[in-house]
Amino acid sequence: MSDLVNEPSPAVRLRLAEERNVWLCTVRPDGSAHVTPVWFVYQSSRWWIGSDLSSVKVRNIRTEPRVSLALEDGRFPVVAEGDALLIGEGFPREIVTAFEQKYAWDVSAPTRPGSKRVLLEVCIRRWLLAGTAQ
């Protein structure tokens, strides 16, 4: 997953820092799409997303790691395609801090009793910016 293709422009990086939600699309075992809005941070040329271990998105990624991400603004699209890795323990401290700063939220803290948190690390294969593939 080291083939990072074209880092986004400064304007897109600013949107990635400021926008609160991204739509994450994973692939179900039957090949259909599962799309859900999630909180994220973009840091170290990666998208980072927190999730419960038992979520549909995590089950899907275990089988098929290819994902797509799209910011909510349809007038100025920012879409990325990549591969997700699941991190179950040892969340990078700088990523936990980034979530705390952006959302005042501990991404590593369980959301309900008995649940376990994972972190999705998405390495981008291709950026689609303003309708143009890069």
Side-chain angles (χ1 to χ4, degrees):
M1 295 204 338
S2 62
D3 294 335
L4 181 67
V5 178
N6 294 343
E7 187 66 17
S9 71
V12 170
R13 284 196 309 273
L14 180 61
R15 285 185 62 198
L16 294 171
E18 293 178 348
E19 292 200 28
R20 296 185 56 82
N21 302 305
V22 66
W23 288 90
L24 171 67
C25 181
T26 60
V27 181
R28 295 179 189 272
D30 68 1
S32 64
H34 174 258
V35 182
T36 186
V38 294
W39 284 354
F40 74 97
V41 295
Y42 182 80
Q43 191 166 317
S44 304
S45 299
R46 304 282 194 273
W47 294 74
W48 302 88
I49 299 163
S51 182
D52 282 337
L53 179 64
S54 63
S55 72
V56 171
K57 63 184 145 290
V58 169
R59 287 195 310 267
N60 292 344
I61 288 167
R62 283 187 163 155
T63 304
E64 174 54 73
R66 292 179 297 167
V67 300
S68 294
L69 299 146
L71 292 180
E72 293 183 310
D73 185 351
R75 288 184 34 225
F76 302 103
V78 174
V79 179
E81 298 172 343
D83 298 290
L85 289 174
L86 298 173
I87 299 172
E89 295 182 22
F91 290 18
R93 184 71 215 147
E94 66 274 11
I95 301 306
V96 173
T97 299
F99 272 99
E100 288 170 351
Q101 291 172 347
K102 188 172 184 180
Y103 300 101
W105 175 58
D106 182 355
V107 69
S108 65
T111 56
R112 59 186 188 280
S115 68
K116 183 171 169 37
R117 298 295 293 171
V118 295
L119 191 61
L120 311 180
E121 175 186 4
V122 181
C123 178
I124 301 307
R125 279 186 276 105
R126 183 168 72 148
W127 287 93
L128 304 169
L129 304 174
T132 304
Q134 292 196 357

